[in-house]
Amino acid sequence: MRKIAVVGSCNTDMIVKSKHLPAAGETILGGDFLMSAGGKGANQAVAISRLGGNVTFICKIGDDVFGEKAMHLYAEEGIDTSNILTSSSHHSGVALISVDDNAENSIVVSPGANYDLLPEDVEKNKALIASADILLMQLEIPIETVMRAAEIAYENGVKIVLNPAPACEVPESLLKKLFLFIPNANEASFYSGVACKDNDSVKNAAGIIHSKGVKNVIITIGDKGSLLCEDGGFKYFEAIKVHAVDTTAAGDTYCGAICQALSEGRSLDKSISFATYASALAVQKIGAQPSIPTRKELDNYMRVKHLI
Ligand code: RIB
């Protein structure tokens, strides 16, 4: 089976449901509280593993109860944890998440040990990255670390997929190395300078990002689906209509699922379709990792929709 390496973050999510997201200076009473595993890197690694992939996760946890719990969880998920490092000076990453009645969220991350994952840590895992087929990353770790991992991958012909979240400055030298760039509409606005508010502006944004040297760009547009921009032009993929309760980690499920489908030899179009169904399942449950479907769940869902 082809190998996927994920270099990224690991968090513990503290989630509170509320009618609406609090405005600045506002205190509101929320509903249920859930503490569960999260972090964009970890969510994407878990998605790949649950969907049947061979994944190695490189991240840094703190020497604390959250880090310890995360290690156990990844091992239970069948993820290779031999490259998970422990920071002696930083706490494990934590995310405070509010989810409203429309399933939208707002997230504040305290990165802690995620920001202690340094280029030299990636250097120690050079052979692992070089021998992978796909390298998947996000931006909850230092950009220098992302760049070093990308250099190693690029020199060794490994396909690099970047989910540029949260949005931050990304050098064009990195963009030029990417096989696939997957921002959401907000992030695409940041990277293109175009406010993504309708089909035309999303298309415009994707074209601008593509012209910076990224081979393929996919902009995810929530319940409106996603747009692919590749050399041959643009293509829209509709979202599946479902009753969403929490969109947290829908994008992570999408990114993990795309990489898994690509690693199985599917085309980009077919991989997008696979990922669209995976994320439609994820939004129907609360929490990040608790919402990520297994391969069996996804296959059953696609079978019901007569897709397999
Ligand atoms: O994408 C969702 C994730 O963002 C959450 O799990 C949270 O930890 C933050 O990293």
Side-chain angles (χ1 to χ4, degrees), residues 9-15 36-44 93-97 105 107-109 114 140 163 165-166 247-253 287-289:
S9 59
C10 151
N11 293 330
T12 299
D13 293 347
M14 311 278 173
I15 308 162
S36 62
K40 294 184 196 301
N43 297 342
Q44 295 179 20
V94 172
L96 304 181
I97 305 182
N105 62 40
I107 305 179
V108 181
V109 175
N114 294 311
E140 285 185 330
N163 169 223
T247 53
T248 310
D252 297 331
T253 302
Q289 286 169 36

Side-chain angles (χ1 to χ4, degrees), residues 40 139 163-170 183-184 186-191:
K40 294 184 196 301
L139 297 176
N163 169 223
C168 76
E169 289 302 331
V170 170
N184 66 18
N186 281 334
E187 291 144 8
S189 301
F190 176 88
Y191 292 107

Side-chain angles (χ1 to χ4, degrees), residues 213-276:
V214 177
K215 198 164 167 40
N216 301 288
V217 180
I218 297 171
I219 301 183
T220 57
I221 337 167
D223 62 1
K224 291 179 191 60
S226 49
L227 172 83
L228 166 66
C229 174
E230 52 183 350
D231 283 340
F234 299 92
K235 197 164 178 187
Y236 271 102
F237 294 79
E238 294 228 346
I240 318 297
K241 301 269 170 276
V242 292
H243 175 67
V245 296
D246 180 8
T247 53
T248 310
D252 297 331
T253 302
Y254 187 98
C255 293
I258 287 231
C259 289
Q260 176 52 21
L262 289 171
S263 83
E264 291 175 13
R266 295 184 199 219
S267 65
L268 209 40
D269 280 29
K270 290 220 164 89
S271 299
I272 291 174
S273 181
F274 183 81
T276 301

